[in-house]
Amino acid sequence: MLPTRSLGPFQVSAIGLGCMNLSHAYGQPPALAQAEQLLLHALDRGVTLFDTAALYGFGANEELVGKVLSPHRSRFTLASKCGLHGVPGEDGKLKRVLDGRPATIKASCEASLRRLRTDVIDLFYLHRWDKKVPIEDSVGAMAELVKEGKVRCLGLSEVSAGTLRRAHAVHPITAVQTEYSLWTRNPEIAVLDACRELGTAFVAFSPLARGFLPGTLKDVSALVPTDLRRSMPRFAPEAYAANLTLLPALQAIADEADCSLAQLSLAWLLQRGEHVIPIPGTTQIAHLDEDLGATSVQLSEQQMARLDEIVNVASVQGGRYNAGSQAEVDTETFGEAG
């Protein structure tokens, strides 16, 4: 079985599963049968943290997780998110909306419970802080869901240390979820330490840098037009070509450690702190098995230091989000007060 880490009152596998790309973001999702097989394989391998959201596939991902995993509900910790979801536009098509008002949060929770086929969500995140609504109001509504027994614990995604502290004063925050990997180091500015201080778990999404760190994505021009990465500056052709030059030095360390690039990257994260829980996502069982193998990789202090020297804020080219997406997040940014 996999080693475990603490997530509030839960003991979960040290590596969880991000379910997003089974329905959303990276081009054409896999066939339903393939997605179902992957979820069940993860469960059989000992993964006990499954992460979804109302936004992913505009509810389709929660429906998938509910259909496949609800018969096994007692075997895992279920996380979902509110605050970002789809609403019909003038053309009748669903569009992405950020809305952290208390009434919207409560309605979103009810819809998620139905799609997930469960009576309670173990960990309910605010997917993004809607800055038009005080964080205290959004978290206050979420706290009422805890009192009603519909949610067990609360989380926040993409927030700063200051916002975490404000929210934590209203209701204990069990987890903060933010992008964190060798090439995204923003959490190291403040929120990673704030989580450690408050006893809050840090859940690292995109721990493999959206396909960059495993070294398998060589040609970004081959990404389909709907792929989320096409809007990200780091994946622009010139920046990405520069970033690819970092991989040979990483591969040398992976060879020393007798592991793959993906395992090296996840092992680095696991050694950043006992409160760090990566949630890589994949559509391939072979990739899932490879990722879980990172729990057996132990890196030396020298190897950890060399990794920091190779991939860091100065060496990575391009921002992680475009201007529109960056405006929606509350995480600290290098070069700014936070």
Side-chain angles (χ1 to χ4, degrees), residues 210-225:
R210 304 180 191 273
F212 166 72
L213 286 170
T216 52
L217 178 62
K218 301 296 187 184
D219 182 10
V220 290
S221 69
L223 297 175
V224 300

Side-chain angles (χ1 to χ4, degrees), residues 25-182:
Y26 300 131
Q28 182 64 33
L32 180 59
Q34 181 181 339
E36 291 179 354
Q37 187 179 21
L38 183 118
L39 288 171
L40 292 173
H41 183 79
L43 194 64
D44 288 343
R45 281 296 316 274
V47 174
T48 55
L49 175 61
F50 290 82
D51 182 276
T52 181
L55 177 67
Y56 303 159
F58 294 137
N61 197 248
E62 287 184 323
E63 293 205 7
L64 170 68
V65 170
K67 176 187 175 187
V68 177
L69 295 182
S70 61
H72 313 281
R73 185 65 183 85
S74 63
R75 295 172 57 188
F76 66 93
T77 297
L78 175 62
S80 195
K81 309 179 193 73
C82 64
L84 278 176
H85 56 278
V87 299
E90 292 181 2
D91 58 1
K93 295 181 179 179
L94 291 173
K95 62 177 183 177
R96 180 179 183 273
V97 169
L98 172 61
D99 187 345
R101 292 174 297 175
T104 305
I105 286 172
K106 291 182 176 181
S108 181
C109 180
E110 296 291 349
S112 290
L113 288 168
R114 287 193 299 271
R115 289 190 292 260
L116 291 164
R117 304 187 189 187
T118 187
D119 295 328
V120 62
I121 297 169
D122 297 316
L123 176 58
F124 198 47
Y125 288 98
L126 187 64
H127 204 157
R128 293 288 188 274
W129 173 31
D130 177 358
K131 296 169 188 174
K132 299 187 298 295
V133 181
I135 190 66
E136 291 84 357
D137 291 357
S138 294
V139 172
M142 296 167 73
E144 291 177 15
L145 294 170
V146 176
K147 292 178 183 177
E148 293 167 9
K150 295 171 182 176
V151 168
R152 290 197 170 102
C153 298
L154 302 185
L156 302 173
S157 180
E158 295 275 35
V159 297
S160 65
T163 302
L164 167 60
R165 293 182 194 283
R166 286 171 56 192
H168 195 75
V170 175
H171 187 280
I173 301 300
T174 294
V176 166
Q177 180 175 142
T178 293
E179 183 175 356
Y180 187 32
S181 69
L182 276 164

Side-chain angles (χ1 to χ4, degrees), residues 18-30:
C19 300
M20 178 183 76
N21 56 350
L22 296 176
S23 308
H24 180 88
Y26 300 131
Q28 182 64 33

Side-chain angles (χ1 to χ4, degrees), residues 200-248:
T200 298
F202 185 94
V203 176
F205 77 77
S206 296
L208 296 178
R210 304 180 191 273
F212 166 72
L213 286 170
T216 52
L217 178 62
K218 301 296 187 184
D219 182 10
V220 290
S221 69
L223 297 175
V224 300
T226 55
D227 194 302
L228 188 68
R229 290 169 288 190
R230 281 198 172 273
S231 68
M232 295 178 171
R234 288 180 182 176
F235 289 90
E238 187 174 338
Y240 197 73
N243 290 329
L244 285 174
T245 65
L246 302 173
L247 291 179

